[in-house]
Amino acid sequence: FVLHHVPRGIEIGVDGMRIAEDLAMSTTRDILENYARGHGPQPAMLALGYAGWGPGQLDSEIRQNGWLTTERGDEIIFGTDNAGKWRAALRSLGIDPVVLSPDAGHA
């Protein structure tokens, strides 16, 4: 999967999916070959792997406090410090990872 910026108003191919007005995910061999040649939309992030949820599963997990969510942060998504992305995302919420607990609660 390649997560990348796409200029507003530009169409993406049938093998791509617009995630936001200026953000898309593409899965074609063509886009991978373009990046291998030093071309392709920038900024971009290559991700290997897959995660899937059944209908309504993710929404249910979010309601049960199984996920922390925040506004999109391009500096985190497309930044080069992959090892620090988790901590940076927590910091964007004002959370110190030391204070996290494995137990969920409702205030």
Side-chain angles (χ1 to χ4, degrees), residues 42-58:
Q42 292 294 327
M45 178 182 72
L46 173 66
L48 301 175
Y50 172 80
W53 290 267
Q57 181 182 352
L58 183 57

Side-chain angles (χ1 to χ4, degrees), residues 79-90:
T80 58
D81 180 17
N82 289 321
K85 288 183 182 197
W86 181 75
R87 281 186 168 71
L90 287 175

Side-chain angles (χ1 to χ4, degrees), residues 6 14 32 35 48 69 75 77-80 84-87 98 100-101 103 106:
V6 62
V14 295
L32 293 173
Y35 281 108
L48 301 175
T69 59
E75 64 284 349
I77 296 170
F78 298 113
T80 58
K85 288 183 182 197
W86 181 75
R87 281 186 168 71
V98 173
L100 288 178
S101 169
D103 300 319
H106 300 276

Side-chain angles (χ1 to χ4, degrees), residues 9-98:
I10 299 295
E11 291 296 319
I12 57 173
V14 295
D15 293 323
M17 176 174 46
R18 190 173 293 275
I19 296 171
E21 190 174 315
D22 62 341
L23 192 64
M25 181 171 30
S26 298
T27 60
T28 65
R29 181 179 176 152
D30 291 344
I31 197 163
L32 293 173
E33 289 174 350
N34 283 337
Y35 281 108
R37 291 186 197 103
H39 305 291
Q42 292 294 327
M45 178 182 72
L46 173 66
L48 301 175
Y50 172 80
W53 290 267
Q57 181 182 352
L58 183 57
D59 290 335
S60 175
E61 290 176 8
I62 291 170
R63 281 192 306 276
Q64 294 171 14
N65 292 323
W67 292 87
L68 295 174
T69 59
T70 186
E71 297 296 318
R72 175 178 134 194
D74 287 358
E75 64 284 349
I76 296 171
I77 296 170
F78 298 113
T80 58
D81 180 17
N82 289 321
K85 288 183 182 197
W86 181 75
R87 281 186 168 71
L90 287 175
R91 277 194 307 270
S92 77
L93 290 167
I95 297 172
D96 181 346
V98 173

